[in-house]
Amino acid sequence: MRKIELLSPAGSLSKMNVSFRYGADAVYIGGKAFNLRARSSNFSQEDLREASSFAHKLGKKVYVALNILAHDREIKALPRFVKFLEEIGIDAVIVADLGILDLVQEHSQLRIHISTQASATNWRSVKMYERLGAKRVVLAREVSIPEIRKIKDAVPDMELEVFVHGAMCMTYSGRCNLSQYFSERDGNRGVCSNTCRWKYHIVEEKRPGEFFPVYEDETGTYIYNSKDLCSIEFLDKLLDAGVDGLKIEGRMKSHYYCANATKIYRQALDSYLSGTYTYDPQWRRELEKMSHRGYTSGFYLGKLDKESEQQKGETFASHHFAGLVREKLSETEYLMESRERFDLAKDIEILRPFGQNERHRISRAINQKTGEEVQLVQPNMMLKIQVEVPLAPFDILTTDQKLIDSQAP
Ligand code: SF4
């Protein structure tokens, strides 16, 4: 049977656990250096060792991102790190920079995947990476489905991976200097300040302080501001084009995001692999629930629709990450780590790796630290909760109550 991998983000060991439980075949993670997500928790060497051994016990894979565009000063420490990754059995490294590719090959036998940061958009480029010894190319987000088909036909032995869900950059697969220019935080070194999502106005030279919106719209313009990618409605077309890996973006995102996105794309992929693919509209509804900037099909369906691609800096979410079940304490009691402020008087929704989400009420919550009973839950509390249905560690509780605080990571 054709093998297609579902890859999910893992910004921490705990999120990796969630991604695997909810159906990922592999996760991609970053060490403390050399990757583009310097602000996600990132993995220490001990964490990387643990991640590798945990994944392999489950028969799953771990890929480590080494996808910075490196300067000389940054690659000195790389040989030692590469040898370490090989020693602990990491399944592949993801590189964008030819110098890093060369260095990885010189110091290890590690499998090499080419990062989307390399912006591969044509078969000649993919063929070249094959000659250079890479085993997989994560295509640029800017390719269309017919282009993917052509690339696969031209280079059939190269594994192709595509992004199916998550944030999009306005620049070519994230090769961007906006953040560096405006805030001296380099998007190619993992410290992007999301400058493209700021609100922009025009100021006329002789009228300092007077900000003119570019459009006749009092909210200003968000000329760089992309909606998030969502491929769920045409995933079968992407799979028909011959892709070998489906990647969910979001190493900075929450446990809820990892769980929900992974579960939905797992269901769709399993349906496709069963040979009787049927699109379930509930998939999109579940993806709409979690925080997103509006969804777009990106470039996959052809020319980018500029009207539907741009948005005005809003995020949408009907459900928020209320808490993560950490431990079963007894038949009816569980330890929950809260992430949002919510009232126990209203139902929560339970998200599990399998089956439909269920609505239930937490009948009682005790603050583990103080022993006091809690009615209004605050973020980052450890609570002993009672619920009338069985829960398991890493079940996710969500709330559709209106929030005062923003979503915790
Ligand atoms: S500023 Fe925007 S487009 Fe540029 S790297 Fe950051 S997220 Fe991407």
Side-chain angles (χ1 to χ4, degrees):
M1 193 167 85
R2 182 175 155 203
K3 275 187 85 178
I4 303 167
E5 225 172 50
L6 179 62
L7 293 98
S8 293
S12 65
L13 280 170
S14 170
K15 288 178 193 170
M16 180 181 81
N17 205 328
V18 164
S19 287
F20 283 147
R21 279 170 193 267
Y22 285 77
D25 299 304
V27 294
Y28 58 100
I29 62 181
K32 293 273 183 205
F34 313 116
N35 81 94
L36 289 183
R37 286 291 171 262
R39 284 181 298 136
S40 65
S41 323
N42 279 334
F43 288 64
S44 66
Q45 294 213 346
E46 265 330 289
D47 291 343
L48 285 167
R49 194 184 288 279
E50 195 179 329
S52 178
S53 117
F54 178 74
H56 295 152
K57 272 186 209 139
L58 298 175
K60 311 224 175 197
K61 292 186 174 163
V62 176
Y63 304 140
V64 172
L66 301 179
N67 57 347
I68 61 165
L69 304 176
H71 288 253
D72 282 347
R73 63 180 180 276
E74 291 164 315
I75 54 177
K76 269 198 204 128
L78 197 51
R80 195 147 25 107
F81 187 56
V82 163
K83 285 179 193 153
F84 167 75
L85 295 179
E86 186 173 40
E87 178 210 313
I88 63 172
I90 289 299
D91 298 282
V93 289
I94 308 166
V95 308
D97 183 307
L98 286 177
I100 292 185
L101 184 149
D102 188 40
L103 195 147
V104 170
Q105 287 179 330
E106 190 179 316
H107 294 277
S108 76
Q109 302 288 317
L110 279 165
R111 181 182 166 92
I112 293 175
H113 293 181
I114 302 299
S115 167
T116 194
Q117 293 287 318
S119 305
T121 49
N122 62 73
W123 72 267
R124 294 293 301 227
S125 164
V126 172
K127 186 82 192 161
M128 190 63 213
Y129 284 121
E130 187 178 61
R131 279 198 213 120
L132 289 172
K135 299 292 182 221
R136 181 181 297 191
V137 173
V138 188
L139 292 173
R141 287 175 171 93
E142 290 76 15
V143 291
S144 67
I145 290 176
E147 286 174 324
I148 296 170
R149 173 80 268 166
K150 279 189 192 151
I151 293 171
K152 189 66 186 177
D153 288 346
V155 200
D157 293 337
M158 175 63 90
E159 293 176 10
L160 299 182
E161 185 177 305
V162 293
F163 276 89
V164 290
H165 197 91
M168 300 267 278
C169 282
M170 280 307 285
T171 48
Y172 240 75
S173 288
R175 289 181 164 229
C176 172
N177 250 355
L178 276 181
S179 174
Q180 171 77 336
Y181 185 79
F182 281 106
S183 54
E184 294 186 13
R185 286 171 42 177
D186 191 345
N188 294 312
R189 311 242 111 48
V191 282
C192 172
S193 56
N194 281 310
T195 320
C196 58
R197 308 193 194 283
W198 296 357
K199 197 191 281 188
Y200 292 95
H201 294 82
I202 287 178
V203 181
E204 200 273 326
E205 198 183 9
K206 298 197 176 63
R207 299 167 206 224
E210 286 188 46
F211 301 105
F212 298 100
V214 174
Y215 298 122
E216 290 178 4
D217 178 340
E218 70 286 356
T219 61
T221 179
Y222 297 81
I223 50 175
Y224 307 121
N225 208 338
S226 173
K227 289 183 179 177
D228 292 343
L229 176 66
C230 178
S231 312
I232 198 68
E233 286 169 319
F234 53 89
L235 197 75
D236 55 331
K237 308 264 181 319
L238 265 176
L239 292 164
D240 286 346
V243 298
D244 306 281
L246 306 175
K247 187 174 223 161
I248 296 166
E249 180 275 345
R251 273 191 285 148
M252 311 278 283
K253 300 226 168 100
S254 70
H255 289 77
Y256 172 34
Y257 173 92
C258 291
N260 198 33
T262 304
K263 178 178 174 179
I264 298 305
Y265 281 91
R266 176 83 260 160
Q267 287 179 352
L269 178 56
D270 284 350
S271 172
Y272 183 87
L273 291 172
S274 74
T276 55
Y277 180 77
T278 324
Y279 174 70
D280 181 350
Q282 187 62 25
W283 294 337
R284 170 88 187 204
R285 288 198 281 272
E286 292 300 334
L287 294 172
E288 296 274 357
K289 285 181 181 175
M290 62 188 187
S291 177
H292 62 286
R293 303 180 179 101
Y295 284 135
T296 173
S297 52
F299 294 79
Y300 286 137
L301 301 180
K303 201 167 176 293
L304 191 66
D305 176 351
K306 291 191 194 120
E307 285 305 312
S308 70
E309 168 63 17
Q310 291 294 311
Q311 53 98 273
K312 294 180 178 172
E314 303 141 299
T315 52
F316 309 93
S318 61
H319 288 63
H320 306 276
F321 183 18
L324 179 68
V325 178
R326 283 294 187 190
E327 209 181 317
K328 180 175 177 175
L329 300 171
S330 71
E331 282 315 306
T332 54
E333 264 196 331
Y334 304 89
L335 194 61
M336 183 197 78
E337 195 179 322
S338 67
R339 290 304 167 96
E340 281 297 357
R341 165 192 264 252
F342 66 99
D343 191 340
L344 289 193
K346 297 197 179 141
D347 284 353
I348 41 106
E349 194 166 284
I350 303 168
L351 168 66
R352 301 192 174 93
F354 303 99
Q356 300 287 335
N357 296 355
E358 289 171 25
R359 287 183 76 85
H360 286 285
R361 192 73 54 96
I362 296 175
S363 51
R364 197 156 185 247
I366 308 282
N367 185 332
Q368 198 198 27
K369 210 160 147 195
T370 62
E372 285 165 8
E373 192 157 345
V374 171
Q375 180 61 36
L376 192 61
V377 175
Q378 302 293 340
N380 304 317
M381 293 173 112
M382 274 296 193
L383 297 165
K384 278 190 208 168
I385 58 166
Q386 284 180 7
V387 187
E388 68 225 46
V389 286
L391 298 176
F394 294 98
D395 282 355
I396 305 270
L397 309 184
T398 69
T399 172
D400 55 7
Q401 293 174 35
K402 286 244 177 311
L403 298 177
I404 298 167
D405 301 313
S406 62
Q407 193 169 330

